[in-house]
Amino acid sequence: MKENLVIIPTYNEIENIEAIIRKVMNLSEAFDVLILDDGSPDGTGKKVKELQNEFTENLHLIERSGKLGLGTAYIHGFKWALENGYQFIYEMDADFSHNPEDLVRLYKAAKIDGYDVAIGSRYIKGVNVVNWPMGRVLMSYFAGVYVRMITGMKIMDPTGGFICYRQEVLKTIPLDKITFIGYAFQIEMKFNAFLYKFNITEVPIIFTDRTKGVSKMSTKIFREAIFGVIMMKIWSWFKSFKR
């Protein structure tokens, strides 16, 4: 039975992709990696194919045509993970803003401590963000306050994208009905896990903004998250969350 799969969506990550894959492959616990590349013109997908000659059993690649959105990449990856029998499925960025060594801590929170969802949290112990301008830190932090107020979740970092899901969570959440494709996707997935009453924990991490490549964050993505939360809350009134 396969245990750990780290899903990493990419678009133009040639400066980071080899280093992030090698780092994950050399952790103290065994992790397979699935790269979902949205047709990166910089050769990210080509580099992954080269590395597959070295990591023949543990490195997987799905190439998509064009930028189709973060949420659709993860949904595609989740379905692939379930089809291939992985027990613990992880979301992680390619740019080292998430420290790959923290994957082991998320794994232990799920495997040993028994949580269904383990979130790498920037805000569970103060504010642990490096290299962000203060405006962006405040925007992110108060977005979390807003999400908690609207949804009733107690999660300190509801917009974070460094997560471990147990297989059962992704089998229960109706993935084809997840609506958002930007960063609101992260909130929607956590909100669904919360409404289905899965056990959720937050593991403190230090988030370090990328030093190579270009950020994909935009005000449009942030707006989607803000207005999407209200829509999620309204939709939740008309859905059943039994499992």
Side-chain angles (χ1 to χ4, degrees), residues 160-179:
F162 193 22
I163 309 163
C164 171
Y165 291 103
R166 275 186 180 269
Q167 180 189 80
E168 292 79 6
V169 178
L170 300 182
K171 284 183 173 179
T172 300
I173 293 174
L175 298 177
D176 287 329
K177 294 184 179 179
I178 295 296
T179 306

Side-chain angles (χ1 to χ4, degrees), residues 134-148:
M134 183 54 67
R136 188 167 174 185
V137 172
L138 291 173
M139 183 172 67
S140 174
Y141 181 82
F142 283 106
V145 174
Y146 170 77
V147 170
R148 289 192 294 278

Side-chain angles (χ1 to χ4, degrees), residues 17-51:
I17 194 63
E18 180 172 2
I20 198 81
I21 289 171
R22 291 192 181 281
K23 185 67 174 178
V24 173
M25 293 299 184
N26 286 289
L27 292 171
S28 58
E29 300 287 344
F31 293 87
D32 289 1
V33 174
L34 171 63
I35 303 295
L36 284 120
D37 186 63
D38 276 5
S40 298
D42 70 349
T44 299
K46 182 180 178 182
K47 173 55 70 175
V48 175
K49 288 177 182 176
E50 292 175 9
L51 291 168

